[in-house]
């Protein structure tokens, strides 16, 4: 009987380890997608844009595999306490990672549509925002793999800076459009890209909140630190969709 119990515990730990490994792999792919998408913008890199979009089906498949394993663990292993929180968090985190992958693919596709004269429209603000979002995503994924509540808190607090970047970039791009109507098409694409980056930041913060709960058993405050007037900026351009996720097709 003790041998049987030992085998069950070992098998359970192996399945938990497999779940963690799959989550880390999914996070790594999504992180790479975002890096490729940002390279597509900053370097006019069409190969990077194509590569980011091609990785999307792999992320979708991993999401299905993680969900199937998590449901199996819940149904057959009856996990308790921290293990239960971790498995439930994994079900939600995969959804966040999948959405981040969608946004990265959308950014990559939109980057191919941008046509501008060198120096006509500055991309420095977009690059800075992209670096911050990428850093927050990396830290949120590290928080998953290391079960690090402190790193999760860092990401949660950094969401304010992402909002401030988005608001400043929104105003800058609107100014470009007002100054020269020929900028409207390019700036519209850049606005969608900026909004997608802002949403990636939101999903990275979602992940951080879920990791914090899984590790500590406590919820972070429902009201996140907010910066600038990101919601207001979105409303100014599209009042009917400000509370919805943008089109990522």
């Amino acid at each position: 009987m003790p041998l049987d119990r030992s085998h069950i515990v070992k098998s359970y730990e192996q399945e938990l380890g497999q779940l963690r490994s799959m989550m880390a792999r999914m996070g790594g792919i999504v992180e790479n997608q975002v890096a490729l998408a940002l390279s597509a913008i900053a370097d006019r890199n069409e190969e990077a844009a194509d590569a980011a979009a091609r990785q999307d089906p792999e992320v979708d498949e991993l999401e299905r595999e993680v969900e199937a394993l998590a449901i199996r663990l819940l149904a057959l292993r009856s996990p308790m306490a921290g293990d239960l929180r971790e498995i439930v968090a994994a079900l939600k985190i995969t959804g966040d990672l999948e959405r981040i992958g969608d946004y990265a693919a959308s950014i990559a596709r939109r980057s191919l549509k941008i046509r501008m004269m060198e120096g006509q429209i500055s991309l420095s603000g977009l690059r800075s925002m992209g670096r911050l979002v990428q850093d927050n995503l990396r830290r949120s994924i590290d928080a998953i793999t290391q079960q690090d509540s402190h790193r999760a808190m860092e990401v949660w607090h950094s969401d304010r800076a992402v909002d401030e970047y988005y608001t400043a970039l929104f105003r800058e791009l609107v100014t470009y459009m007002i100054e020269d109507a020929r900028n409207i098409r390019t700036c519209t694409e850049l606005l969608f890209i900026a909004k997608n980056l802002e949403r990636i930041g939101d999903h990275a913060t979602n992940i951080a909140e879920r990791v914090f709960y899984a590790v500590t058993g406590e919820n972070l405050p429902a009201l996140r630190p907010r910066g600038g007037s990101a919601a207001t900026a979105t409303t100014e351009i599209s009042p009917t969709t400000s509370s919805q996720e943008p089109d990522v097709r």
Side-chain angles (χ1 to χ4, degrees), residues 1-241:
M1 188 67 175
L3 288 177
D4 291 340
R5 175 63 181 167
S6 174
H7 174 74
I8 291 171
V9 171
K10 183 178 180 181
S11 176
Y12 172 57
E13 288 298 328
Q14 287 174 339
E15 288 179 320
L16 269 181
Q18 182 184 1
L19 181 69
R20 291 163 185 155
S21 176
M22 291 165 67
M23 292 285 291
R25 183 182 167 199
M26 188 176 180
I29 295 170
V30 167
E31 189 176 356
N32 187 51
Q33 274 187 288
V34 173
L36 288 168
L38 292 174
S39 175
I41 298 168
D43 306 323
R44 312 290 198 274
N45 190 335
E46 293 189 13
E47 291 183 4
D50 291 339
R54 283 199 306 270
Q55 289 182 323
D56 214 32
E58 187 175 359
V59 173
D60 294 341
E61 177 60 28
L62 269 172
E63 180 189 24
R64 289 189 287 269
E65 291 178 8
V66 170
E67 286 181 349
L69 179 55
I71 291 170
R72 170 185 166 81
L73 286 167
L74 290 172
L76 301 180
R77 300 301 190 181
S78 300
M80 302 289 288
D83 287 350
L84 176 60
R85 294 197 303 270
E86 181 181 356
I87 294 167
V88 172
L91 282 168
K92 296 182 177 181
I93 287 171
T94 54
D96 287 308
L97 289 172
E98 189 274 336
R99 291 302 290 165
I100 290 172
D102 285 345
Y103 286 120
S106 174
I107 290 170
R109 287 190 293 269
R110 288 186 181 278
S111 72
L112 299 176
K113 300 178 183 179
I114 296 173
R115 296 291 183 268
M116 66 182 71
M117 294 177 62
E118 191 67 29
Q120 184 179 356
I121 297 176
S122 172
L123 294 181
S124 60
L126 193 67
R127 291 191 184 102
S128 296
M129 182 182 180
R131 283 193 293 269
L132 178 59
V133 168
Q134 192 174 14
D135 186 54
N136 279 356
L137 176 59
R138 176 184 54 78
R139 287 188 292 174
S140 70
I141 292 170
D142 286 346
I144 296 171
T145 57
Q146 299 168 19
Q147 291 292 284
D148 188 338
S149 61
H150 296 293
R151 187 152 296 187
M153 277 291 292
E154 290 175 359
V155 175
W156 190 76
H157 283 294
S158 292
D159 194 48
R160 180 196 300 269
V162 175
D163 290 341
E164 289 172 348
Y165 266 118
Y166 173 70
T167 301
L169 191 56
F170 176 93
R171 290 171 177 163
E172 179 184 352
L173 292 171
V174 169
T175 300
Y176 279 126
M177 289 190 280
I178 292 171
E179 290 177 348
D180 189 339
R182 291 172 297 181
N183 292 330
I184 290 176
R185 183 169 182 178
T186 294
C187 288
T188 299
E189 294 294 342
L190 290 172
L191 280 170
F192 274 109
I193 288 172
K195 186 58 185 176
N196 284 348
L197 281 173
E198 192 263 343
R199 291 301 294 150
I200 289 173
D202 282 346
H203 283 287
T205 306
N206 287 349
I207 291 170
E209 289 175 342
R210 303 189 203 290
V211 171
F212 187 87
Y213 175 73
V215 174
T216 68
E218 300 176 0
N219 285 307
L220 287 167
L223 186 62
R224 294 179 181 175
R226 306 301 294 179
S229 304
T232 302
T234 306
T235 303
E236 288 172 358
I237 192 169
S238 182
T240 60
T241 60

